[in-house]
Amino acid sequence: MATLLKQPLKLALVQLASGVDKAANLSHARTKVLEAAKAGQSSSCSLNASTLRTARSTLPKQAPSFHALSALAAEAKSYLVGGSIPEYEPTTQKYYNTSLVFSPTGALIGKHRKTHLFDIDIPGKIRFKESETLSPGNKVTIIDLPEYGKIGLSICYDIRFPETAMIAARNGAFLLVYPGAFNMTTGPLHWSLLGRARAVDNQVYVALCSPARDLNASYHAWGHSFIANPNAEVLTEADEKEDIVYADLDNETIENTRKGIPIYTQRRFDVYPDVSAGKIRFEE
Ligand SMILES: *[C@@H]1O[C@H](CO)[C@@H](O)[C@H](O)[C@H]1NC(C)=O
Ligand SMILES: *[C@@H]1O[C@H](CO)[C@@H](O)[C@H](O)[C@H]1NC(C)=O
Ligand SMILES: *[C@@H]1O[C@H](CO)[C@@H](O)[C@H](O)[C@H]1NC(C)=O
Ligand SMILES: *[C@@H]1O[C@H](CO)[C@@H](O)[C@H](O)[C@H]1NC(C)=O
Ligand SMILES: *[C@@H]1O[C@H](CO)[C@@H](O)[C@H](O)[C@H]1NC(C)=O
Ligand SMILES: *[C@@H]1O[C@H](CO)[C@@H](O)[C@H](O)[C@H]1NC(C)=O
């Protein structure tokens, strides 16, 4: 396999608390992302990427977030994975839950539309139907950061479906990124477990980025944004409050992990199928 990660990368996860209005939220996000980028610059590692996870927002027809995030990536001179925002597609008149990725010049270089929408309805207990307001994306998302390599991008509930992680990893991704907001039940049970599982199954880096917990809001997010290495060790983790956490990613760690536990060469696709080998719809 070709080199997965071409040069060391500094990854920052910005676990944001948001204010009452959108303008304030975005201006606060800017402050935090610039803080993360500045820390990246002073580090010995040459590079950077930030993931930003904001609180949920309503469905605007035109998202000022797009322009704000693009400008922010350019100002921070960093790759920026912008959490998830509601995206309106005028041609189909549909809304998607979308994560946008910008280059250090502010160009949009990729996006993921949440593929698995969360729908449950247990009468008398809980009812939550994302499909009432949103349409699902229909693609697996792998994004190339030219100086570094490929990342797989999915959103929240998507992490419970290991197939897309396997497809991204077997197509050369060195990192899987999941903006997400687990709640106070599923957070302690599954947040870390799922992220570390995707790391150990695929021997890649995994980053989960949550909003900070806001007890004034109706939805209480678990927080605990973290980065796991290809051996499923947690390199850095926030608690529930607003925070920025950092880790240095390098190719040697992926290589050594794969040498030590050689699942990459010992799979038995003569016994079971390779999910990454079939007909796949990619968003690249
Ligand atoms: C800003 O953040 C608050 C608190 O998390 C949230 O309730 C609100 O919806 C956000 N505003 C916008 C417009 O995104
Ligand atoms: C998009 O998904 C995230 C993570 O599940 C969630 O917090 C957010 O509320 C969703 N946005 C919309 C518009 O439903
Ligand atoms: C982030 O990466 C870009 C693209 O390689 C680089 O130009 C920029 O200087 C880096 N920024 C920081 C803060 O290290
Ligand atoms: C969190 O979500 C799960 C799954 O939908 C649900 O069963 C649980 O009641 C929720 N917990 C809280 C504290 O809202
Ligand atoms: C929650 O509400 C209280 C009372 O209005 C306020 O003082 C506090 O700053 C709020 N906390 C957050 C995180 O918004
Ligand atoms: C990076 O790691 C991959 C996976 O182990 C390996 O195939 C590749 O040769 C490595 N590249 C370099 C330059 O070490």
Side-chain angles (χ1 to χ4, degrees):
M1 190 186 282
T3 296
L4 295 178
L5 178 48
K6 298 174 191 169
Q7 59 170 314
L9 169 78
K10 178 143 206 127
L11 177 65
L13 304 182
V14 182
Q15 177 170 298
L16 274 182
S18 309
V20 283
D21 67 89
K22 180 141 203 148
N25 287 357
L26 285 171
S27 131
H28 181 62
R30 175 176 169 273
T31 307
K32 292 314 230 182
V33 169
L34 293 177
E35 183 186 329
K38 205 169 161 203
Q41 222 150 27
S42 63
S43 123
S44 59
C45 282
S46 55
L47 248 285
N48 58 69
S50 295
T51 297
L52 173 71
R53 187 66 188 89
T54 60
R56 45 186 50 210
S57 55
T58 48
L59 297 170
K61 279 248 157 69
Q62 288 179 336
S65 313
F66 180 99
H67 301 285
L69 291 171
S70 162
L72 185 49
E75 193 175 2
K77 295 189 173 61
S78 299
Y79 285 100
L80 182 68
V81 178
S84 65
I85 58 167
E87 176 204 9
Y88 179 67
E89 173 70 64
T91 54
T92 55
Q93 300 190 321
K94 286 179 174 168
Y95 286 100
Y96 301 92
N97 192 333
T98 301
S99 182
L100 303 172
V101 183
F102 296 93
S103 77
T105 61
L108 180 71
I109 55 165
K111 69 176 177 192
H112 176 72
R113 289 172 168 172
K114 191 178 189 183
T115 318
H116 304 89
L117 296 180
F118 188 59
D119 282 351
I120 55 164
D121 189 358
I122 306 171
K125 286 198 168 167
I126 185 167
R127 187 171 188 286
F128 195 87
K129 287 218 166 188
E130 282 192 322
S131 65
E132 282 175 352
T133 46
L134 296 168
S135 297
N138 293 321
K139 288 178 178 161
V140 175
T141 304
I142 301 173
I143 296 164
D144 189 34
L145 316 183
E147 303 92 332
Y148 298 104
K150 295 174 184 169
I151 64 168
L153 178 62
S154 294
I155 297 176
C156 203
Y157 188 49
D158 286 335
I159 199 176
R160 294 186 182 272
F161 301 84
E163 290 88 348
T164 54
M166 289 183 210
I167 291 166
R170 291 182 198 168
N171 278 280
F174 64 88
L175 164 69
L176 307 175
V177 179
Y178 297 91
F182 275 33
N183 72 15
M184 297 298 288
T185 308
T186 55
L189 266 175
H190 295 154
W191 175 255
S192 170
L193 176 70
L194 286 166
R196 295 181 59 221
R198 298 297 84 89
V200 78
D201 278 352
N202 299 293
Q203 300 181 312
V204 291
Y205 287 96
V206 171
L208 271 64
C209 195
S210 168
R213 191 176 307 157
D214 177 1
L215 293 176
N216 292 347
S218 58
Y219 190 90
H220 298 163
W222 172 237
H224 291 267
S225 298
F226 73 95
I227 301 168
N229 74 9
N231 207 23
E233 293 164 296
V234 174
L235 299 176
T236 184
E237 180 178 351
D239 58 20
E240 76 285 1
K241 295 185 291 295
E242 183 166 86
D243 200 1
I244 305 174
V245 294
Y246 304 88
D248 294 314
L249 281 47
D250 62 76
N251 196 64
E252 289 65 37
T253 304
I254 304 174
E255 185 151 42
N256 291 337
T257 304
R258 292 183 183 186
K259 276 185 188 151
I261 305 175
I263 55 176
Y264 253 80
T265 53
Q266 296 178 350
R267 291 204 169 95
R268 292 289 309 275
F269 294 135
D270 56 330
V271 177
Y272 44 79
D274 177 0
V275 294
S276 72
K279 184 167 171 285
I280 296 158
R281 296 162 79 165
F282 283 111
E283 173 84 52
E284 288 199 69

Tab-separated table of all heavy atoms in Angstrom, residues 80-126:
chain	number	residue	atom	x	y	z
A	80	LEU	N	-9.882	22.607	7.610
A	80	LEU	CA	-10.934	22.743	8.621
A	80	LEU	C	-12.104	21.818	8.278
A	80	LEU	O	-12.668	21.901	7.187
A	80	LEU	CB	-11.413	24.194	8.658
A	80	LEU	CG	-12.484	24.544	9.686
A	80	LEU	CD1	-11.936	24.439	11.100
A	80	LEU	CD2	-12.998	25.963	9.451
A	81	VAL	N	-12.425	20.934	9.225
A	81	VAL	CA	-13.614	20.093	9.087
A	81	VAL	C	-14.676	20.759	9.945
A	81	VAL	O	-14.539	20.827	11.159
A	81	VAL	CB	-13.352	18.658	9.588
A	81	VAL	CG1	-14.619	17.812	9.486
A	81	VAL	CG2	-12.213	18.012	8.808
A	82	GLY	N	-15.705	21.288	9.307
A	82	GLY	CA	-16.608	22.183	10.030
A	82	GLY	C	-17.799	21.542	10.702
A	82	GLY	O	-18.917	21.956	10.428
A	83	GLY	N	-17.597	20.586	11.574
A	83	GLY	CA	-18.723	20.031	12.321
A	83	GLY	C	-19.832	19.585	11.399
A	83	GLY	O	-19.574	19.002	10.341
A	84	SER	N	-21.071	19.862	11.754
A	84	SER	CA	-22.166	19.560	10.828
A	84	SER	C	-23.150	20.715	10.824
A	84	SER	O	-23.448	21.295	11.862
A	84	SER	CB	-22.857	18.252	11.206
A	84	SER	OG	-23.489	18.365	12.449
A	85	ILE	N	-23.607	21.047	9.625
A	85	ILE	CA	-24.579	22.133	9.485
A	85	ILE	C	-25.723	21.659	8.591
A	85	ILE	O	-25.542	20.761	7.777
A	85	ILE	CB	-23.951	23.412	8.879
A	85	ILE	CG1	-23.342	23.122	7.498
A	85	ILE	CG2	-22.915	24.005	9.805
A	85	ILE	CD1	-23.006	24.386	6.726
A	86	PRO	N	-26.909	22.248	8.736
A	86	PRO	CA	-27.978	21.911	7.816
A	86	PRO	C	-27.691	22.508	6.446
A	86	PRO	O	-27.392	23.688	6.346
A	86	PRO	CB	-29.227	22.548	8.438
A	86	PRO	CG	-28.760	23.385	9.571
A	86	PRO	CD	-27.282	23.253	9.729
A	87	GLU	N	-27.737	21.680	5.431
A	87	GLU	CA	-27.433	22.132	4.067
A	87	GLU	C	-28.705	22.038	3.227
A	87	GLU	O	-29.345	20.994	3.177
A	87	GLU	CB	-26.355	21.223	3.461
A	87	GLU	CG	-26.035	21.550	2.020
A	87	GLU	CD	-25.442	20.375	1.245
A	87	GLU	OE1	-25.430	19.242	1.760
A	87	GLU	OE2	-25.012	20.592	0.107
A	88	TYR	N	-29.047	23.135	2.565
A	88	TYR	CA	-30.232	23.151	1.700
A	88	TYR	C	-29.804	23.017	0.247
A	88	TYR	O	-28.915	23.738	-0.203
A	88	TYR	CB	-30.998	24.458	1.897
A	88	TYR	CG	-32.224	24.574	1.028
A	88	TYR	CD1	-33.314	23.726	1.234
A	88	TYR	CD2	-32.292	25.509	0.006
A	88	TYR	CE1	-34.440	23.820	0.431
A	88	TYR	CE2	-33.419	25.616	-0.797
A	88	TYR	CZ	-34.491	24.768	-0.578
A	88	TYR	OH	-35.604	24.849	-1.372
A	89	GLU	N	-30.380	22.061	-0.435
A	89	GLU	CA	-30.062	21.837	-1.844
A	89	GLU	C	-31.217	22.378	-2.685
A	89	GLU	O	-32.299	21.771	-2.721
A	89	GLU	CB	-29.885	20.330	-2.057
A	89	GLU	CG	-29.717	19.878	-3.483
A	89	GLU	CD	-28.382	20.293	-4.077
A	89	GLU	OE1	-27.353	19.819	-3.588
A	89	GLU	OE2	-28.398	21.118	-5.021
A	90	PRO	N	-31.018	23.539	-3.329
A	90	PRO	CA	-32.143	24.180	-4.027
A	90	PRO	C	-32.742	23.324	-5.149
A	90	PRO	O	-33.943	23.354	-5.360
A	90	PRO	CB	-31.519	25.456	-4.615
A	90	PRO	CG	-30.240	25.654	-3.885
A	90	PRO	CD	-29.786	24.318	-3.425
A	91	THR	N	-31.898	22.553	-5.846
A	91	THR	CA	-32.425	21.782	-6.978
A	91	THR	C	-33.418	20.714	-6.540
A	91	THR	O	-34.398	20.454	-7.220
A	91	THR	CB	-31.280	21.115	-7.780
A	91	THR	OG1	-30.496	20.343	-6.872
A	91	THR	CG2	-30.418	22.157	-8.459
A	92	THR	N	-33.150	20.097	-5.388
A	92	THR	CA	-34.064	19.039	-4.923
A	92	THR	C	-34.980	19.537	-3.808
A	92	THR	O	-35.886	18.825	-3.387
A	92	THR	CB	-33.254	17.844	-4.383
A	92	THR	OG1	-32.367	18.333	-3.363
A	92	THR	CG2	-32.440	17.175	-5.476
A	93	GLN	N	-34.719	20.759	-3.333
A	93	GLN	CA	-35.453	21.326	-2.194
A	93	GLN	C	-35.393	20.410	-0.971
A	93	GLN	O	-36.369	20.238	-0.254
A	93	GLN	CB	-36.899	21.618	-2.584
A	93	GLN	CG	-36.975	22.609	-3.749
A	93	GLN	CD	-38.385	23.095	-4.002
A	93	GLN	OE1	-39.343	22.321	-3.906
A	93	GLN	NE2	-38.533	24.367	-4.297
A	94	LYS	N	-34.221	19.833	-0.783
A	94	LYS	CA	-34.042	18.939	0.366
A	94	LYS	C	-32.966	19.478	1.306
A	94	LYS	O	-32.067	20.206	0.888
A	94	LYS	CB	-33.620	17.555	-0.119
A	94	LYS	CG	-34.769	16.780	-0.749
A	94	LYS	CD	-34.289	15.439	-1.236
A	94	LYS	CE	-35.468	14.605	-1.733
A	94	LYS	NZ	-35.009	13.422	-2.467
A	95	TYR	N	-33.082	19.060	2.564
A	95	TYR	CA	-32.079	19.405	3.558
A	95	TYR	C	-31.245	18.174	3.896
A	95	TYR	O	-31.775	17.068	3.993
A	95	TYR	CB	-32.741	19.888	4.846
A	95	TYR	CG	-33.327	21.274	4.733
A	95	TYR	CD1	-34.691	21.452	4.518
A	95	TYR	CD2	-32.517	22.394	4.863
A	95	TYR	CE1	-35.242	22.720	4.426
A	95	TYR	CE2	-33.052	23.674	4.768
A	95	TYR	CZ	-34.412	23.832	4.547
A	95	TYR	OH	-34.932	25.098	4.457
A	96	TYR	N	-29.960	18.420	4.087
A	96	TYR	CA	-29.062	17.353	4.506
A	96	TYR	C	-28.312	17.810	5.744
A	96	TYR	O	-28.125	18.995	5.961
A	96	TYR	CB	-28.040	17.048	3.401
A	96	TYR	CG	-28.673	16.630	2.109
A	96	TYR	CD1	-28.976	17.585	1.127
A	96	TYR	CD2	-28.984	15.297	1.858
A	96	TYR	CE1	-29.581	17.205	-0.060
A	96	TYR	CE2	-29.588	14.918	0.673
A	96	TYR	CZ	-29.888	15.877	-0.289
A	96	TYR	OH	-30.487	15.514	-1.452
A	97	ASN	N	-27.866	16.831	6.537
A	97	ASN	CA	-26.988	17.149	7.663
A	97	ASN	C	-25.562	16.964	7.140
A	97	ASN	O	-25.129	15.845	6.874
A	97	ASN	CB	-27.294	16.200	8.826
A	97	ASN	CG	-26.644	16.656	10.098
A	97	ASN	OD1	-25.613	17.326	10.085
A	97	ASN	ND2	-27.232	16.283	11.215
A	98	THR	N	-24.848	18.061	6.984
A	98	THR	CA	-23.629	18.044	6.178
A	98	THR	C	-22.419	18.576	6.931
A	98	THR	O	-22.518	19.558	7.677
A	98	THR	CB	-23.856	18.918	4.916
A	98	THR	OG1	-24.965	18.372	4.196
A	98	THR	CG2	-22.638	18.943	4.027
A	99	SER	N	-21.301	17.924	6.728
A	99	SER	CA	-20.029	18.413	7.258
A	99	SER	C	-19.176	18.891	6.097
A	99	SER	O	-18.974	18.165	5.122
A	99	SER	CB	-19.319	17.292	8.020
A	99	SER	OG	-18.116	17.779	8.580
A	100	LEU	N	-18.706	20.135	6.173
A	100	LEU	CA	-17.938	20.752	5.090
A	100	LEU	C	-16.453	20.762	5.445
A	100	LEU	O	-16.089	20.999	6.598
A	100	LEU	CB	-18.404	22.195	4.876
A	100	LEU	CG	-19.894	22.396	4.575
A	100	LEU	CD1	-20.229	23.891	4.589
A	100	LEU	CD2	-20.267	21.780	3.240
A	101	VAL	N	-15.620	20.541	4.430
A	101	VAL	CA	-14.175	20.545	4.656
A	101	VAL	C	-13.532	21.595	3.761
A	101	VAL	O	-13.756	21.614	2.545
A	101	VAL	CB	-13.564	19.159	4.352
A	101	VAL	CG1	-12.068	19.152	4.649
A	101	VAL	CG2	-14.262	18.082	5.174
A	102	PHE	N	-12.751	22.467	4.387
A	102	PHE	CA	-12.103	23.561	3.661
A	102	PHE	C	-10.582	23.412	3.707
A	102	PHE	O	-10.030	22.926	4.695
A	102	PHE	CB	-12.495	24.907	4.280
A	102	PHE	CG	-13.968	25.202	4.157
A	102	PHE	CD1	-14.848	24.858	5.175
A	102	PHE	CD2	-14.475	25.781	3.004
A	102	PHE	CE1	-16.216	25.093	5.057
A	102	PHE	CE2	-15.838	26.025	2.878
A	102	PHE	CZ	-16.705	25.685	3.906
A	103	SER	N	-9.936	23.884	2.636
A	103	SER	CA	-8.471	23.850	2.550
A	103	SER	C	-7.902	25.090	3.233
A	103	SER	O	-8.649	26.021	3.560
A	103	SER	CB	-8.036	23.833	1.089
A	103	SER	OG	-8.160	25.145	0.564
A	104	PRO	N	-6.571	25.145	3.414
A	104	PRO	CA	-5.951	26.326	4.041
A	104	PRO	C	-6.130	27.615	3.236
A	104	PRO	O	-5.822	28.692	3.740
A	104	PRO	CB	-4.474	25.939	4.140
A	104	PRO	CG	-4.468	24.452	4.135
A	104	PRO	CD	-5.605	24.045	3.251
A	105	THR	N	-6.629	27.538	2.005
A	105	THR	CA	-6.943	28.771	1.273
A	105	THR	C	-8.429	29.104	1.359
A	105	THR	O	-8.885	30.090	0.771
A	105	THR	CB	-6.564	28.660	-0.215
A	105	THR	OG1	-7.326	27.587	-0.795
A	105	THR	CG2	-5.089	28.392	-0.407
A	106	GLY	N	-9.188	28.267	2.038
A	106	GLY	CA	-10.622	28.530	2.185
A	106	GLY	C	-11.479	27.871	1.114
A	106	GLY	O	-12.694	28.072	1.075
A	107	ALA	N	-10.854	27.071	0.248
A	107	ALA	CA	-11.638	26.386	-0.805
A	107	ALA	C	-12.362	25.183	-0.211
A	107	ALA	O	-11.798	24.457	0.611
A	107	ALA	CB	-10.706	25.931	-1.917
A	108	LEU	N	-13.596	24.994	-0.641
A	108	LEU	CA	-14.332	23.794	-0.225
A	108	LEU	C	-13.732	22.612	-0.967
A	108	LEU	O	-13.737	22.571	-2.191
A	108	LEU	CB	-15.815	23.944	-0.596
A	108	LEU	CG	-16.715	22.758	-0.210
A	108	LEU	CD1	-16.909	22.704	1.302
A	108	LEU	CD2	-18.077	22.858	-0.902
A	109	ILE	N	-13.189	21.624	-0.212
A	109	ILE	CA	-12.554	20.489	-0.900
A	109	ILE	C	-13.327	19.197	-0.714
A	109	ILE	O	-12.971	18.177	-1.279
A	109	ILE	CB	-11.087	20.282	-0.463
A	109	ILE	CG1	-10.987	20.140	1.057
A	109	ILE	CG2	-10.217	21.424	-0.969
A	109	ILE	CD1	-9.643	19.584	1.504
A	110	GLY	N	-14.390	19.232	0.063
A	110	GLY	CA	-15.187	18.022	0.207
A	110	GLY	C	-16.303	18.246	1.199
A	110	GLY	O	-16.311	19.234	1.940
A	111	LYS	N	-17.267	17.315	1.167
A	111	LYS	CA	-18.327	17.393	2.159
A	111	LYS	C	-18.941	16.016	2.345
A	111	LYS	O	-18.910	15.185	1.435
A	111	LYS	CB	-19.400	18.390	1.731
A	111	LYS	CG	-20.215	17.951	0.543
A	111	LYS	CD	-21.309	18.957	0.251
A	111	LYS	CE	-22.083	18.546	-0.989
A	111	LYS	NZ	-22.959	19.587	-1.486
A	112	HIS	N	-19.453	15.783	3.530
A	112	HIS	CA	-20.172	14.536	3.778
A	112	HIS	C	-21.595	14.851	4.198
A	112	HIS	O	-21.819	15.694	5.067
A	112	HIS	CB	-19.496	13.732	4.891
A	112	HIS	CG	-20.262	12.490	5.250
A	112	HIS	ND1	-20.318	11.386	4.416
A	112	HIS	CD2	-21.040	12.185	6.320
A	112	HIS	CE1	-21.083	10.454	4.977
A	112	HIS	NE2	-21.531	10.913	6.130
A	113	ARG	N	-22.532	14.190	3.555
A	113	ARG	CA	-23.922	14.280	3.992
A	113	ARG	C	-24.231	13.028	4.799
A	113	ARG	O	-24.044	11.912	4.316
A	113	ARG	CB	-24.834	14.338	2.768
A	113	ARG	CG	-24.740	15.657	2.015
A	113	ARG	CD	-25.513	15.593	0.715
A	113	ARG	NE	-25.660	16.931	0.144
A	113	ARG	CZ	-26.156	17.152	-1.070
A	113	ARG	NH1	-26.538	16.144	-1.828
A	113	ARG	NH2	-26.267	18.386	-1.525
A	114	LYS	N	-24.677	13.248	6.030
A	114	LYS	CA	-24.957	12.133	6.944
A	114	LYS	C	-25.756	11.048	6.221
A	114	LYS	O	-26.831	11.322	5.669
A	114	LYS	CB	-25.740	12.657	8.143
A	114	LYS	CG	-25.866	11.677	9.286
A	114	LYS	CD	-26.619	12.357	10.429
A	114	LYS	CE	-26.614	11.531	11.697
A	114	LYS	NZ	-27.403	12.179	12.750
A	115	THR	N	-25.210	9.851	6.235
A	115	THR	CA	-25.767	8.761	5.441
A	115	THR	C	-26.876	8.019	6.193
A	115	THR	O	-27.872	7.606	5.611
A	115	THR	CB	-24.642	7.747	5.119
A	115	THR	OG1	-23.470	8.474	4.766
A	115	THR	CG2	-25.046	6.841	3.974
A	116	HIS	N	-26.648	7.819	7.482
A	116	HIS	CA	-27.606	7.073	8.300
A	116	HIS	C	-28.367	8.064	9.171
A	116	HIS	O	-27.788	8.689	10.061
A	116	HIS	CB	-26.875	6.054	9.180
A	116	HIS	CG	-26.011	5.110	8.391
A	116	HIS	ND1	-24.699	5.385	8.091
A	116	HIS	CD2	-26.281	3.906	7.830
A	116	HIS	CE1	-24.195	4.385	7.379
A	116	HIS	NE2	-25.128	3.480	7.208
A	117	LEU	N	-29.642	8.219	8.892
A	117	LEU	CA	-30.456	9.136	9.705
A	117	LEU	C	-31.004	8.374	10.904
A	117	LEU	O	-31.336	7.196	10.812
A	117	LEU	CB	-31.595	9.716	8.863
A	117	LEU	CG	-31.142	10.585	7.689
A	117	LEU	CD1	-32.341	11.108	6.922
A	117	LEU	CD2	-30.262	11.750	8.156
A	118	PHE	N	-31.063	9.085	12.025
A	118	PHE	CA	-31.461	8.429	13.268
A	118	PHE	C	-32.975	8.541	13.456
A	118	PHE	O	-33.504	9.622	13.683
A	118	PHE	CB	-30.715	9.083	14.430
A	118	PHE	CG	-30.898	8.360	15.722
A	118	PHE	CD1	-30.519	7.029	15.845
A	118	PHE	CD2	-31.442	8.991	16.813
A	118	PHE	CE1	-30.683	6.349	17.043
A	118	PHE	CE2	-31.609	8.321	18.023
A	118	PHE	CZ	-31.227	7.002	18.135
A	119	ASP	N	-33.640	7.428	13.326
A	119	ASP	CA	-35.096	7.375	13.490
A	119	ASP	C	-35.437	6.334	14.542
A	119	ASP	O	-35.146	5.155	14.362
A	119	ASP	CB	-35.775	6.918	12.174
A	119	ASP	CG	-35.862	8.032	11.144
A	119	ASP	OD1	-35.562	9.189	11.483
A	119	ASP	OD2	-36.248	7.734	10.006
A	120	ILE	N	-36.025	6.776	15.640
A	120	ILE	CA	-36.595	5.770	16.550
A	120	ILE	C	-37.962	6.243	17.009
A	120	ILE	O	-38.248	7.439	17.067
A	120	ILE	CB	-35.742	5.455	17.796
A	120	ILE	CG1	-35.410	6.715	18.578
A	120	ILE	CG2	-34.525	4.649	17.470
A	120	ILE	CD1	-34.927	6.395	19.977
A	121	ASP	N	-38.796	5.296	17.326
A	121	ASP	CA	-40.139	5.606	17.795
A	121	ASP	C	-40.593	4.467	18.697
A	121	ASP	O	-41.056	3.428	18.238
A	121	ASP	CB	-41.087	5.770	16.598
A	121	ASP	CG	-42.442	6.313	17.054
A	121	ASP	OD1	-42.625	6.516	18.279
A	121	ASP	OD2	-43.304	6.522	16.186
A	122	ILE	N	-40.381	4.662	20.004
A	122	ILE	CA	-40.861	3.670	20.965
A	122	ILE	C	-42.054	4.317	21.664
A	122	ILE	O	-41.865	5.225	22.484
A	122	ILE	CB	-39.760	3.278	21.982
A	122	ILE	CG1	-38.497	2.831	21.226
A	122	ILE	CG2	-40.248	2.173	22.911
A	122	ILE	CD1	-37.288	2.624	22.113
A	123	PRO	N	-43.285	3.905	21.311
A	123	PRO	CA	-44.475	4.595	21.815
A	123	PRO	C	-44.447	4.793	23.329
A	123	PRO	O	-44.119	3.869	24.079
A	123	PRO	CB	-45.612	3.664	21.383
A	123	PRO	CG	-45.083	2.963	20.171
A	123	PRO	CD	-43.619	2.789	20.430
A	124	GLY	N	-44.743	6.025	23.742
A	124	GLY	CA	-44.800	6.339	25.164
A	124	GLY	C	-43.429	6.592	25.774
A	124	GLY	O	-43.324	7.016	26.922
A	125	LYS	N	-42.356	6.349	25.011
A	125	LYS	CA	-41.019	6.529	25.581
A	125	LYS	C	-40.231	7.603	24.850
A	125	LYS	O	-40.001	8.674	25.384
A	125	LYS	CB	-40.249	5.195	25.558
A	125	LYS	CG	-40.753	4.224	26.606
A	125	LYS	CD	-39.733	3.134	26.859
A	125	LYS	CE	-40.079	2.319	28.112
A	125	LYS	NZ	-39.299	1.098	28.201
A	126	ILE	N	-39.841	7.316	23.649
A	126	ILE	CA	-39.017	8.283	22.941
A	126	ILE	C	-39.349	8.260	21.459
A	126	ILE	O	-39.587	7.203	20.871
A	126	ILE	CB	-37.509	8.013	23.190
A	126	ILE	CG1	-36.626	9.108	22.556
A	126	ILE	CG2	-37.105	6.636	22.702
A	126	ILE	CD1	-35.171	9.059	23.029
